[in-house]
Amino acid sequence: MKLEIELEVLSAVCVGSTADAQGIGVDKATARDADGKLIIPGSTLKGRIRWECERIARALGWEVCDAPQTDNMCPYFWHHRGVSDDKYCIICETFGGSARHAALWFGDAALADDVRLRNTPVLQRGKSVSERRPFDAQIRPGVSISRARRAAFSERLFFTETSAPNARFRFRALIEGDPPSHKHRALLLAGVRALSLVGGGRSRGLGWVRVARGVLDGDELTDTRWKELLKPLEEVTT
Ligand SMILES: [Zn+2]
């Protein structure tokens, strides 16, 4: 199975990378690839899609383990419930866990379009400054609030780099692998379709995305095709 997805950013995203943060003097920078292009790391996508799939599986009444603590995940989750054999829930069978390999591989989501803004050189005294401060991003100040005292402290001022707001960036990602059954695949697709948030800063309106496009094994996923592919989820489980 080869699933290509295109995520449209509806607000702005900050998939934190503290490693890159120091270089540009912020507390949290957005993740970039070696060429400096904005990315959403595959591990972030995987975590988020896994979370959506767990939510859907529970809504369908399927018993799944409690990620992310290893002790609450398969197979330990079942050992605590008196199952002596190593058992894995549909989520672990798909996404893997500490004791099991994942059936799927999630690639980093890279910016789909070459950012027009970024490619426009901005010169200051004959030197390009757009290389130093890419126009695909914005620095946002934030103040952390003490929940106990409901007060903001100036020393808690922090800066976050996010993708440029309202730029409607599109990120393209590839998910590959062999889901064990149609049901596993359907659950994955349902989770992908439900994807609406990535990265941090939800309370500040960051991270809202929508899946704008999907291509499964070369076939464009129309609304009708999505519905067909999700059908195995409606089958009665035994
Ligand atoms: Zn599990």
Side-chain angles (χ1 to χ4, degrees), residues 50 64-65 73-74 78 88-89 91-92:
R50 181 183 181 125
V64 297
C65 65
M73 286 175 74
C74 301
W78 303 102
Y88 294 89
C89 70
I91 298 291
C92 289

Side-chain angles (χ1 to χ4, degrees), residues 19-128:
D20 293 336
Q22 287 184 331
I24 57 167
V26 296
D27 300 291
K28 208 176 205 185
T30 52
R32 292 177 186 275
D33 66 10
D35 296 326
K37 268 191 156 188
L38 291 175
I39 55 160
I40 300 170
S43 55
T44 302
L45 269 186
K46 182 182 176 181
R48 200 61 217 175
I49 294 169
R50 181 183 181 125
W51 187 86
E52 293 288 358
C53 289
E54 281 174 11
R55 215 166 51 99
I56 294 161
R58 288 202 178 96
L60 290 167
W62 301 350
E63 204 171 3
V64 297
C65 65
D66 292 322
Q69 277 94 15
T70 305
D71 197 43
N72 293 329
M73 286 175 74
C74 301
Y76 315 106
F77 175 85
W78 303 102
H79 294 172
H80 299 319
R81 282 159 184 75
V83 180
S84 52
D85 294 337
D86 280 357
K87 185 179 167 177
Y88 294 89
C89 70
I90 189 165
I91 298 291
C92 289
E93 281 174 346
T94 310
F95 295 90
S98 62
R100 195 187 172 94
H101 283 296
L104 299 165
W105 172 86
F106 290 74
D108 292 341
L111 217 48
D113 26 30
D114 242 346
V115 180
R116 192 170 31 86
L117 291 168
R118 195 189 150 104
N119 289 344
T120 310
V122 175
L123 301 175
Q124 258 179 20
R125 292 191 204 111
K127 255 189 108 186
S128 167

